Amino acid sequence: MCNRNFTWAWHTVIMGTGGISALVHAFPYGSGSPAIKVVTLIIFSLNLLLFVLFTGAIIARYMMFPDTWLKMIRHPTQGPLMGAFPAGATTLINIALVAQQEWNFGDTGFLYTLWGCWWLNSIVSYLIAFGMLHVMMVEQKYTLDTMTASWLLPAISLIVASSTGGLLSTALKAQSMKFAILTALFSLTMVIIGLGLALMMITVYLARLVISGPPEKLLVLSAFVALGPFGQGGYSLLINGKNLSEMLPLYVSGTVPEVAAGGQMIFLFCLCGAYILWSMGICWIIISSNSIFSVLKKEGGIPFSLAYHGLIFPNAVFALLSVQLGNVLNSDVFRGFGAAWTVIVFILWLSIFARTILAVIDRSVFVVLDIAVPLLPLDINDSIKPAGTSYTIGIN
């Protein structure tokens, strides 16, 4: 598994599988049943194993081929994929927290360990988000028609970490209200920054679709990545808004946001924001589906690759947002929609995961595909090529 072409793209498998484990746990019908618990733990254990294997392979890659590190960071496609690493790790913290809070696994020390892991993950997310933004502005050259939705991954890592912070804030309230408020406020800041960056990039990506048309068939599946910030961002707003609505009234001094209604005002703002993001998610599902169908109609089937895993996480967090809106609004419509979307995404994950196992066995998934990128000679496998040549991008 470890070779020069083993890229950060493999951590999108972690993101998708982690999203599925969270989605199974949040399934609105039969919640808390032994079957839900068993399936959640099985998927979590699988995801943890994959995380250890993939992270080990990535570390071995850069130890064996240290020259690929800077080339990867400066690469227009591989660099942004680093955002999948902290996002995938965050999904593991989520289910570990569920095990501690709901299934009595570990004590208070384990909770604080998860809290510490989250702080570390948040720092890494910030470094990748703003580090890659710097590299994209200073080290790389782009044209509009070369933009892909993978640009969003560094910003998405901030949004994913913010929702985990909200869940940890809920758990910390029984231990330290000070720590809980600190975590909730820090998480709310992260989701605002992450959403701000993501929405600006999505606007540029929509302009790219209108002006240049959908990406080629090897990249068109990434269109669904843009759904991720809407689903995860809305979920994070609901979690953090609810926490602040319960904590801020403890500090009543007569001025906003310290008045008793201050927390409720923030929660209502977050609820409205979450519903807007859910609505935009519906919009982007239509846009992404249209892009994929137009490419299928024009060019035929899409070869199997790790890009298929990019379909799972965005749809999983959109289903999670739907379920959470159903819980907050006590709406059977949102719960039913979220449950139906959950079943669809779970079946999609099973089929893609099974296909990935077969591709690993016959090693076809390790083939480095040749994608035309008429930019700088940043190929991680080859020496400098003449201007205008196609460069190989290891998307696997």
Side-chain angles (χ1 to χ4, degrees), residues 19 52 55 95-96 118 121 141 162 187 198 238 249 254 258 313 322 325 360 382 392:
V52 172
T55 303
I95 302 303
W118 172 77
N121 185 276
K141 302 295 181 183
S162 72
S187 299
L238 289 177
E258 295 176 334
F313 181 80
S322 302
L325 278 172
V360 168
D382 303 313
T392 301

Side-chain angles (χ1 to χ4, degrees), residues 322-371:
S322 302
V323 171
Q324 188 65 19
L325 278 172
N327 294 335
V328 171
L329 299 174
N330 194 24
S331 169
D332 290 333
V333 174
F334 277 106
R335 288 197 193 98
F337 179 86
W341 206 259
T342 296
V343 173
I344 294 172
V345 178
F346 187 80
I347 294 173
L348 180 67
W349 172 74
L350 282 177
S351 60
I352 293 176
F353 202 90
R355 181 73 183 273
T356 303
I357 293 175
L358 294 176
V360 168
I361 293 174
D362 64 20
R363 301 192 63 80
S364 61
V365 76
F366 296 105
V367 175
V368 181
L369 302 176
D370 188 48
I371 301 175

Side-chain angles (χ1 to χ4, degrees), residues 265-331:
M265 292 166 60
I266 293 175
F267 181 51
L268 287 174
F269 173 80
C270 291
L271 175 59
C272 292
Y275 182 74
I276 291 172
L277 291 173
W278 183 86
S279 302
M280 288 304 300
I282 295 291
C283 171
W284 204 260
I285 288 173
I286 297 172
I287 294 173
S288 302
S289 300
N290 181 61
S291 298
I292 293 173
F293 289 144
S294 63
V295 170
L296 286 173
K297 183 178 179 181
K298 180 181 178 181
E299 301 188 32
I302 301 175
F304 182 79
S305 70
L306 285 182
Y308 274 72
H309 284 274
L311 296 171
I312 300 171
F313 181 80
N315 283 284
V317 294
F318 182 73
L320 196 61
L321 171 59
S322 302
V323 171
Q324 188 65 19
L325 278 172
N327 294 335
V328 171
L329 299 174
N330 194 24
S331 169

Side-chain angles (χ1 to χ4, degrees), residues 53-294:
L53 289 176
F54 294 169
T55 303
I58 286 287
I59 293 173
R61 177 199 186 193
Y62 293 119
M63 290 180 63
M64 295 169 63
F65 310 104
D67 60 302
T68 62
W69 174 252
L70 288 179
K71 294 179 181 179
M72 178 277 299
I73 291 178
R74 294 169 178 167
H75 199 282
T77 300
Q78 289 199 26
L81 288 171
M82 288 181 66
F85 170 70
T90 307
T91 64
L92 295 171
I93 298 176
N94 289 347
I95 302 303
L97 181 63
V98 168
Q100 195 275 333
Q101 289 290 294
E102 299 183 17
W103 303 330
N104 300 318
F105 179 85
D107 53 11
T108 304
F110 183 64
L111 172 61
Y112 280 112
T113 299
L114 294 178
W115 191 47
C117 291
W118 172 77
W119 279 107
L120 177 61
N121 185 276
S122 299
I123 293 171
V124 172
S125 296
Y126 268 112
L127 290 174
I128 290 177
F130 287 98
M132 283 311 307
L133 188 60
H134 170 79
V135 170
M136 292 168 72
M137 292 189 298
V138 176
E139 301 284 345
Q140 300 172 357
K141 302 295 181 183
Y142 291 96
T143 57
L144 188 61
D145 60 351
T146 60
M147 182 193 182
T148 68
S150 64
W151 285 18
L152 291 164
L153 282 171
I156 288 175
S157 67
L158 290 174
I159 303 173
V160 177
S162 72
S163 62
T164 301
L167 296 173
L168 281 164
S169 176
T170 302
L172 286 168
K173 283 188 292 188
Q175 310 300 326
S176 170
M177 190 61 68
K178 180 180 178 181
F179 288 163
I181 292 177
L182 172 65
T183 303
L185 291 175
F186 189 85
S187 299
L188 196 58
T189 301
M190 270 202 298
V191 71
I192 291 172
I193 292 175
L195 274 175
L197 292 173
L199 292 176
M200 287 184 278
M201 291 182 181
I202 289 172
T203 301
V204 177
Y205 186 62
L206 180 60
R208 179 251 189 274
L209 292 178
V210 172
I211 295 172
S212 304
E216 60 178 281
K217 62 182 179 181
L218 296 175
L219 297 173
V220 70
L221 292 178
S222 67
F224 263 97
V225 173
L227 179 62
F230 297 121
Q232 191 71 60
Y235 179 75
S236 178
L237 287 177
L238 289 177
I239 296 298
N240 286 291
K242 184 175 184 296
N243 283 339
L244 290 173
S245 72
E246 296 172 352
M247 291 185 289
L248 285 182
L250 296 177
Y251 298 88
V252 179
S253 67
T255 59
V256 176
E258 295 176 334
V259 296
Q264 292 299 321
M265 292 166 60
I266 293 175
F267 181 51
L268 287 174
F269 173 80
C270 291
L271 175 59
C272 292
Y275 182 74
I276 291 172
L277 291 173
W278 183 86
S279 302
M280 288 304 300
I282 295 291
C283 171
W284 204 260
I285 288 173
I286 297 172
I287 294 173
S288 302
S289 300
N290 181 61
S291 298
I292 293 173
F293 289 144
S294 63

